[in-house]
Amino acid sequence: MQPSTLAVPGVQTLTPYIPGKPIGELERELGLRHIVKLASNENPLGPSPLALEAAARVLPELHLYPDGGGFELKATLARTLGVNPEQITLGNGSNDVLELVARVFLCGEASAVFSEHAFAVYPILTQATGARALVAPAHDGSRGPHHGHDLEAMTRAIRPDTRVVFIANPNNPTGTYLGKFELENFLRSLPEQVIPVVDEAYFEYVRKPDYPDALTLLSTIPNLIVTRTFSKAYGLAGLRVGYSVSSPAMADLLNRVRQPFNVNAPALEAARAALGDVEHLVRTVRLNDAGLSVLTKALTQRGLQVIPSVGNFITFDAGQPSGPVYAALLREGVIVRPIGNYGLPNHLRVTVGTEDENQAFLGALDRVLMA
Ligand SMILES: *Cc1c(COP(=O)(O)O)cnc(C)c1O
């Protein structure tokens, strides 16, 4: 018997997540060196030195299990965010927390709502539980940012069996965001059996006055779950730490299905130290602001349509199927991300890098588009 016929129905037809190509893989394939990877929205400055020291201090004790309750990290997070530790759920990346949400609230008799072009993990988690994915069309540009979440369409997509609605703010890969007024109205209008998950993976990067901090909505939206991560602005993607903030009752439910030691010991310590290095975060955000405007201008000057982004990445229309452009950029030693799997077959997503990396990308793009 084929194993695939034995898999649960959702998994039989599931397409796995496609990660950015690792540097080592491109090195092996093309024998290239000095590769520029702008494919996974990683921090080009790397982790905070304080986080590295903290992780290293734990290494002699790796024979011990980590603190499964994450007491110290939760305490530091709670102080930093102005919430109670009982509201926090730690995850092996925020992806892990999203999975806990799916396991607690989704099953074959339920559905989840999310937007077209939303983060690729939402459909995967939904389908794996056997729940139905209800995909709301994104904005067409007439009433909101083209390709961004259309909250009216998302409201219309909700059915009586809908248990979860995933909202990425800002969204990856489009870089579009929802303002405070519209997000708050949407969340208030949800039927009470729908759990809203606001994914703020890029929260620290956003510099718009009308961008909402969803934590401020927890007191009025009782079932709200807000997720954040140390993978992006904090530069700790390799360690895998993220978290959610919710009501204590919601955190209790997520905790029931959580692996007892889902966050490793170096990750717990590094994340805590990273929260203490505000200067590194400020440098990270400044570098990103500058790079975002340089790349936006440069791409626009080349006649390419850019989706205005508030994150640490930019998605643009290559004006042709993006697969061959992506492949040609690889041969130039530059890794970006084709996003045909997001329903955008002509678009590429590029992470904002250092000044040198951004210039290397633009130089390579020029050579590729001239050819
Ligand atoms: C990168 C990303 C995440 C999660 O990353 P983790 O490394 O698992 O914390 C979640 N949501 C969005 C929208 C992302 O882009």
Side-chain angles (χ1 to χ4, degrees):
M1 212 158 191
Q2 288 291 328
S4 65
T5 62
L6 302 172
V8 295
V11 174
Q12 289 189 19
T13 54
L14 196 60
T15 316
Y17 181 81
I18 310 166
K21 189 188 257 307
I23 291 175
E25 190 176 307
L26 186 60
E27 284 175 344
R28 286 193 298 277
E29 284 174 6
L30 298 182
L32 293 174
R33 301 201 303 139
H34 308 298
I35 285 165
V36 173
K37 184 186 182 215
L38 300 173
S40 301
N41 302 344
E42 294 144 337
N43 185 334
L45 293 179
S48 151
L50 300 184
L52 290 183
E53 282 167 28
R57 274 198 298 275
V58 185
L59 299 184
E61 291 176 8
L62 284 187
H63 60 296
L64 300 177
Y65 278 101
D67 173 5
F71 180 86
E72 297 285 357
L73 176 56
K74 281 188 190 173
T76 307
L77 267 173
R79 241 183 291 120
T80 308
L81 303 172
V83 302
N84 291 315
E86 306 79 59
Q87 295 180 264
I88 298 172
T89 303
L90 300 178
N92 197 260
S94 57
N95 197 129
D96 186 28
V97 184
L98 295 171
E99 184 158 348
L100 301 181
V101 173
R103 287 179 60 199
V104 171
F105 293 105
L106 297 178
C107 65
E109 289 72 49
S111 64
V113 167
F114 47 85
S115 175
E116 181 189 16
H117 314 312
F119 186 43
V121 162
Y122 311 151
I124 293 174
L125 294 178
T126 301
Q127 193 180 330
T129 65
R132 202 151 47 110
L134 304 173
V135 184
H139 274 306
D140 62 7
S142 60
R143 289 174 304 112
H146 197 184
H147 306 296
H149 289 16
D150 178 346
L151 295 180
E152 286 174 28
M154 290 177 75
T155 299
R156 282 194 299 274
I158 291 170
R159 307 274 171 85
D161 69 359
T162 300
R163 289 293 170 275
V164 177
V165 53
F166 292 105
I167 302 134
N169 199 31
N171 182 43
N172 168 22
T174 58
T176 49
Y177 77 102
L178 299 161
K180 183 169 169 48
F181 183 75
E182 55 176 333
L183 179 66
E184 200 170 334
N185 280 338
F186 171 75
L187 295 176
R188 283 189 201 291
S189 75
L190 290 174
E192 63 178 3
Q193 82 278 5
V194 177
I195 312 292
V197 178
V198 178
D199 177 345
E200 294 186 333
Y202 301 93
F203 175 82
E204 297 83 3
Y205 280 114
V206 186
R207 316 265 273 168
K208 297 283 179 186
D210 64 333
Y211 173 69
D213 172 348
L215 297 184
T216 64
L217 303 175
L218 283 164
S219 55
T220 50
I221 315 286
N223 288 340
L224 176 62
I225 301 174
V226 181
T227 63
R228 292 192 188 165
T229 183
F230 287 92
S231 298
K232 305 287 160 60
Y234 287 103
L236 295 174
L239 275 180
R240 315 302 303 126
V241 211
Y243 61 93
S244 67
V245 186
S246 65
S247 69
M250 188 66 78
D252 170 59
L253 286 171
L254 300 180
N255 191 49
R256 293 181 196 187
V257 296
R258 185 180 62 83
Q259 277 187 46
F261 304 104
N262 63 332
V263 184
N264 68 69
L268 288 171
E269 289 307 316
R272 199 153 69 89
L275 288 171
D277 195 347
V278 176
E279 198 187 311
H280 186 73
L281 186 64
V282 169
R283 279 208 301 142
T284 296
V285 173
R286 283 210 186 114
L287 181 73
N288 189 65
D289 280 347
L292 200 56
S293 69
V294 165
L295 285 175
T296 304
K297 275 199 201 103
L299 292 166
T300 307
Q301 275 168 2
R302 285 159 174 77
L304 300 165
Q305 286 273 353
V306 172
I307 306 176
S309 171
V310 297
N312 68 336
F313 56 89
I314 299 179
T315 288
F316 63 97
D317 188 338
Q320 56 187 296
S322 64
V325 180
Y326 164 70
L329 284 170
L330 287 182
R331 291 190 291 274
E332 296 280 339
V334 177
I335 314 176
V336 297
R337 195 74 157 265
I339 51 173
N341 58 323
Y342 286 88
L344 294 167
N346 286 5
H347 284 73
L348 288 169
R349 190 194 70 196
V350 58
T351 302
V352 177
T354 61
E355 284 173 46
D356 287 351
E357 288 171 330
N358 297 338
Q359 291 310 321
F361 157 69
L362 290 169
L365 184 68
D366 284 338
R367 289 190 291 278
V368 165
L369 294 181
M370 292 298 189

